Amino acid sequence: MRPFEHLRPATLVEASEALARDGARAMAGGTDLLGEMKDEIGTDYPQMVVDLKGLPALDHIVVDGDGLTVGALTKLKALAEHPGVQERFPAVAAAAASVASPQIREMGTVAGNICQSTRCWYYWCPDDRFHCMRKGGDACYALAGDNRYHSIYGGAKLQASPCERACPAGTEIPVYLRAVQQGDLASAARRLLAHNPLPAVTGRVCPHFCEKACNRGDVDEAVSIRALERTVGDYALDEWERLGLEPAAATGKTVAVVGAGPAGLSAAYYLRMSGHAVTVFDRFEKPGGMLNHAIPGYRLPDRVVDRQVEILCSLGIEFLAGVEVGKDMALQALRDRYDAVFLALGTWRERELGIGEGPELISGLEYLRRSRVDDEREKARSVLVIGGGNVAIDAAITAKRRGAATVSLACLEALEDMPAIKAEVDEALEEGVEIRPSCGPSRVLLSGDCAAGMELVACTAVFDEEGRFAPVYDTGAVSSVMADTIVVAIGQQPDIAALRIELPDSVFQRGLIRVDADTQETAIPGLFASGDVTSGPSYVTTAMGSGRRAAAAIDRYLGGAGPAEPPVAEEHCPSSFTAGVRRVTVSSLQPGDRTMKREDVAGLAAEQVATEAGRCMDCACVSVSASDLAPVLVALGGEICTTARALGAGEFFAVAPGGSTALEAGEIVTEIRIPAPAEGSRSRHAKFALRNSIDFPVVSCAVEIVATEGVVGRASICLNAVYGRPVVATAAQDFLAGKRLDGETAAAAADLAVSGTLPLSDNRYKVSIARALVERTLLACAD
């Protein structure tokens, strides 16, 4: 074991103050702290162990007219053998007697039992070989591993899933996929739109970092989140009126959004939904920014963006097209007229090669824009594209599909290091684009005033040791590529020259607009910015996420509370894992059938949608609560008193990283209290374990029945070791009220108690055990 400080406080105050420090842990008999330390469980090794076993006045048992009071340091043996407890609270005595072995009961305490850690073997594996969710990791290894003794009621959400954290928009992916699995596309769409106002767009053009982070990919293949997002997005476009989404009451505030690209559209949507009047200004005649003017139609059809804009207009957002702020209209005029101004200008200025290029070269964005409005075939027989990003790849594929005989692409990076999305690089290669990696432009070859090709030089390194862009060339390795048309797509930057005339230098930084990272506000009050104009070129989802954050900041600036967040996902979620279900195959056109106008990739068939959504593992913890006293405390309406408060037993037991209770830093359990049993009350406890002693429960059950003349007035049924905290069988309790407790009603109640179970691959047997324990414990009360 590593060194640590040991403290044996004399008072509760001293103990609480010590435990409030970082790195302090309590030891009180039953929490297995020393075992955790010895086996290096988790990464937060205690710097101080606060030994509570010597504290005065915490070892007592009082049975009186008010009920039962038990001190936190009371030994389990004493509780099990106390005559008053055995007589008036037989379930409590039975639960205490069921703990481990006589030797452990002589040492273990009441608080130690209710505060002990989960018993999952992945959590307890030495040396942190499985850095699971309980220890701050990303995965629950029991979902796809050995889960014989794990939860049969789903998982507990300890943190955002890896896919959610990887999404720039923060989309709650498992939540909306759950609705998709249940066939409720309307609920899925509402949940998705709360973070992503353009899901039909991102379902087609987003690189989907979420799929790279999907834990299912470590088992077989990641969930096809992109295809499912497209399904839900298309549903939202087709069935918008069914969703019932309307703006909040008018606030009387006005906002000007400059730029109708992804960031601008996202901000406009959320600002309008918050009740503000929104006007969007854009330099082009058609809203959408790069969605409509740069991304090829075979990736994103016009109809998708057009329908999205139509919906935004139906919400009351006004679009003023063909207006370039800073040229056609002064920015100051907008600031004078509107309560807030949001800049989402995008990056429309192409970077230059710096080799003396002239009009014989065309920028990648301009080439793509022309290709979207010009249906004629490519006039050039040979095209050379310079660049290795997504714009360059799109330009190369576009040239090929428009009829160029040969298309070459030269980039500084090695093939495997190209910044473009790998699937799109593969697509270019499939269609006959010749990629020349690790080479850069040296000089333009001319034929008169026209381009004839490019001289290339080998690139041996793109970045220096500190990761800065600093290409190194081998001037001895030179080659030439002949081409009628040369397209330059080496990156974009904002075109903010006109704004520099109106705004002070404090607004700008390294060619971008500088904003506060939290508020998205510039140095000028009421002037906000986000998207590519603040960060440089990014993905559609990244720009949309920044637009949403800016909308929240603008709303707060205007006196609101920020766009309404979706309801917080419940702690409990139906985590499951079904082996052998392969990732859906999304149909796509063969290279010879691909055109400029028709989408390359089809949507999912109706029968594929629910199955693929069901592959989501939900990434929640399926370990179980192992406390023997927990179900009794919940069933009997007990409360746990601490140095800070009194908590009902149902509130006290919780699921949290590294813990199983709702205790906060410095908070110490002082005693448990159970109210006096009502007249006609009977309580029982039952436990199933692999051995009669030592083992933790496979399933345990506690029941209290209050009956008058054989008719149940109130029933309390609690199961444990079936989920991360005790589970109350509410449906069974409600069913028993007003009925005579006999074999038939006990069996029916037991069926209801397990009706909501979600067993994993190896623990379906626990459902039968839980049902049997409920039935037998109810009948024991009837006797």
Side-chain angles (χ1 to χ4, degrees):
M1 295 174 63
R2 291 191 239 164
F4 61 89
E5 183 181 352
H6 179 267
L7 176 67
R8 193 155 196 172
T11 66
L12 276 171
V13 173
E14 183 185 358
S16 294
E17 291 176 348
L19 287 171
R21 304 175 200 166
D22 289 339
R25 294 280 300 276
M27 181 169 63
T31 58
D32 283 339
L33 175 61
L34 294 181
E36 288 188 55
M37 296 167 66
K38 179 181 178 181
D39 290 336
E40 299 274 350
I41 304 300
T43 56
D44 298 327
Y45 195 88
Q47 301 172 19
M48 173 187 290
V49 172
V50 182
D51 189 347
L52 305 179
K53 295 194 294 294
L55 290 174
L58 292 185
D59 184 357
H60 54 269
I61 300 175
V62 177
V63 181
D64 55 21
D66 294 328
L68 171 65
T69 303
V70 182
L73 294 179
T74 301
K75 302 297 189 294
L76 293 165
K77 180 177 185 294
L79 183 62
E81 296 177 356
H82 191 282
V85 176
Q86 291 177 338
E87 179 183 355
R88 298 187 61 194
F89 302 91
V92 175
S98 74
V99 178
S101 64
Q103 294 87 347
I104 291 177
R105 291 195 292 274
E106 288 180 354
M107 297 293 294
T109 63
V110 167
N113 184 264
I114 65 175
C115 294
Q116 65 183 292
S117 298
T118 180
R119 304 316 303 178
C120 173
W121 44 49
Y122 296 101
Y123 176 87
W124 281 95
C125 186
D127 304 319
D128 201 28
R129 276 176 276 175
F130 295 96
H131 191 61
C132 68
M133 298 182 102
R134 280 282 184 139
K135 294 183 279 190
D138 288 334
C140 176
Y141 296 94
L143 279 172
D146 191 331
N147 47 50
R148 283 172 287 169
Y149 305 124
H150 288 75
S151 173
I152 55 172
Y153 282 91
K157 197 78 169 178
L158 298 181
Q159 60 188 4
S161 299
C163 58
E164 298 172 82
R165 298 201 303 274
C167 174
T171 305
E172 296 175 303
I173 294 168
V175 178
Y176 88 77
L177 289 189
R178 201 178 309 153
V180 173
Q181 183 183 6
Q182 295 164 358
D184 188 356
L185 290 182
S187 294
R190 294 187 197 100
R191 197 79 189 205
L192 180 52
L193 286 163
H195 287 90
N196 177 354
L198 310 174
V201 172
T202 54
R204 289 170 165 85
V205 301
C206 178
H208 277 73
F209 305 112
C210 52
E211 293 189 15
K212 297 177 184 177
C214 177
N215 280 332
R216 179 90 193 207
D218 295 331
V219 178
D220 41 44
E221 295 174 288
V223 176
S224 186
I225 302 171
R226 175 169 168 167
L228 291 167
E229 186 173 293
R230 171 175 168 171
T231 298
V232 178
D234 286 349
Y235 175 89
L237 294 187
D238 296 338
E239 306 291 342
W240 177 262
E241 290 73 18
R242 287 192 182 185
L243 301 182
L245 297 173
E246 297 290 342
T251 63
K253 301 293 185 180
T254 59
V255 183
V257 175
V258 181
L265 295 180
S266 177
Y269 173 78
Y270 292 112
L271 286 166
R272 182 70 193 108
M273 297 304 285
S274 295
H276 307 304
V278 181
T279 303
V280 181
F281 298 82
D282 196 70
R283 63 191 288 189
F284 294 107
E285 294 299 327
K286 194 174 183 182
M290 292 196 181
L291 304 179
N292 253 338
H293 300 285
I295 299 177
Y298 55 81
R299 298 203 195 283
L300 181 62
D302 289 347
R303 60 177 173 80
V304 174
V305 182
D306 292 347
R307 173 57 180 156
Q308 185 66 69
V309 172
E310 181 183 314
I311 289 173
L312 296 177
C313 289
S314 73
L315 295 173
I317 298 172
E318 182 182 7
F319 287 88
L320 295 181
V323 179
E324 187 169 357
V325 174
K327 293 182 180 179
D328 302 321
M329 174 184 289
L331 178 60
Q332 185 60 49
L334 295 184
R335 293 172 55 199
D336 293 339
R337 180 179 173 185
Y338 293 90
D339 296 307
V341 176
F342 173 61
L343 302 177
L345 302 173
T347 51
W348 285 97
R349 182 182 170 195
E350 196 82 52
R351 296 185 183 276
E352 296 181 350
L353 292 174
I355 58 172
E357 58 263 48
E360 65 276 358
L361 305 185
I362 181 173
S363 76
L365 292 178
E366 179 63 17
Y367 181 79
L368 291 172
R369 192 187 68 80
R370 291 181 190 175
S371 299
R372 285 187 66 97
V373 299
D374 182 3
D375 289 333
E376 295 183 14
R377 290 181 62 80
E378 180 62 61
K379 298 179 177 62
R381 289 187 53 78
S382 56
V383 176
L384 170 64
V385 180
I386 305 296
N390 293 321
V391 173
I393 289 291
D394 282 348
I397 293 175
T398 295
K400 195 68 179 173
R401 293 192 184 184
R402 294 190 69 198
T406 62
V407 178
S408 302
L409 182 147
C411 61
L412 298 177
E413 301 84 5
L415 185 63
E416 63 274 13
D417 297 328
M418 290 177 64
I421 298 171
K422 183 181 183 303
E424 296 181 8
V425 175
D426 294 340
E427 184 180 358
L429 292 170
E430 284 178 353
E431 298 192 27
V433 174
E434 179 190 6
I435 296 180
R436 293 173 171 251
S438 301
C439 61
S442 175
R443 66 185 180 92
V444 179
L445 302 177
L446 298 175
S447 176
D449 294 332
C450 300
M454 179 77 74
E455 185 178 86
L456 304 175
V457 61
C459 179
T460 57
V462 181
F463 302 98
D464 63 18
E465 293 180 354
E466 297 181 2
R468 294 173 299 195
F469 182 72
V472 178
Y473 300 103
D474 179 1
T475 56
V478 177
S479 61
S480 297
V481 176
M482 308 313 293
D484 303 324
T485 297
I486 301 176
V487 179
V488 179
I490 59 171
Q492 304 89 244
Q493 54 192 345
D495 186 1
I496 53 177
L499 295 182
R500 282 191 174 277
I501 299 174
E502 292 193 58
L503 298 176
D505 290 341
S506 59
V507 175
F508 305 98
Q509 185 177 30
R510 293 193 297 273
L512 302 171
I513 295 179
R514 182 171 60 183
V515 295
D516 183 279
D518 296 323
T519 67
Q520 303 289 304
E521 192 171 18
T522 69
I524 299 175
L527 181 63
F528 297 79
S530 78
D532 293 358
V533 75
T534 64
S535 64
S538 63
Y539 295 101
V540 170
T541 313
T542 307
M544 285 194 326
S546 68
R548 178 173 175 270
R549 290 190 297 274
I554 294 170
D555 184 50
R556 288 190 290 269
Y557 172 80
L558 297 176
E565 291 290 332
V568 176
E570 295 181 1
E571 171 202 284
H572 175 260
C573 63
S575 288
S576 59
F577 175 77
T578 304
V581 180
R582 307 299 299 180
R583 177 183 168 103
V584 66
T585 300
V586 181
S587 61
S588 60
L589 298 176
Q590 294 299 311
D593 297 329
R594 297 171 189 169
T595 67
M596 284 295 298
K597 296 295 185 181
R598 186 181 175 189
E599 278 191 89
D600 292 349
V601 179
L604 295 181
E607 62 273 12
Q608 295 176 306
V609 175
T611 301
E612 185 62 20
R615 295 182 67 245
C616 174
M617 297 168 65
D618 250 318
C619 295
C621 173
V622 293
S623 66
V624 297
S625 166
S627 168
D628 289 290
L629 292 179
V632 175
L633 292 176
V634 174
L636 299 186
E639 67 176 10
I640 289 86
C641 300
T642 75
T643 49
R645 53 186 169 158
L647 287 167
E651 301 174 82
F652 177 80
F653 296 103
V655 187
S660 56
T661 72
L663 290 175
E664 297 178 352
E667 193 173 9
I668 301 172
V669 175
T670 56
E671 60 185 16
I672 63 171
R673 296 173 184 167
I674 299 175
E679 185 176 352
S681 167
R682 287 190 177 186
S683 64
R684 294 291 185 270
H685 171 269
K687 170 181 175 178
F688 179 88
L690 299 183
R691 293 171 289 182
N692 289 334
S693 66
I694 299 178
D695 278 348
F696 292 92
V698 172
V699 181
S700 62
C701 177
V703 167
E704 182 188 33
I705 296 294
V706 179
T708 303
E709 297 181 355
V711 177
V712 176
R714 175 172 59 82
S716 296
I717 305 170
C718 184
L719 289 161
N720 205 31
V722 293
Y723 180 61
R725 52 182 168 78
V727 173
V728 176
T730 307
Q733 293 176 168
D734 295 342
F735 168 79
L736 287 170
K739 294 184 174 62
R740 288 190 174 277
L741 184 54
D742 55 23
E744 184 178 348
T745 55
D751 288 337
L752 287 171
V754 297
S755 61
T757 54
L758 293 161
L760 298 164
S761 57
D762 300 330
N763 68 357
R764 188 171 297 276
Y765 75 96
K766 287 183 66 170
V767 178
S768 299
I769 294 173
R771 188 205 169 282
L773 286 186
V774 171
E775 182 177 8
R776 292 178 186 179
T777 312
L778 285 171
L779 291 176
C781 289
D783 292 340

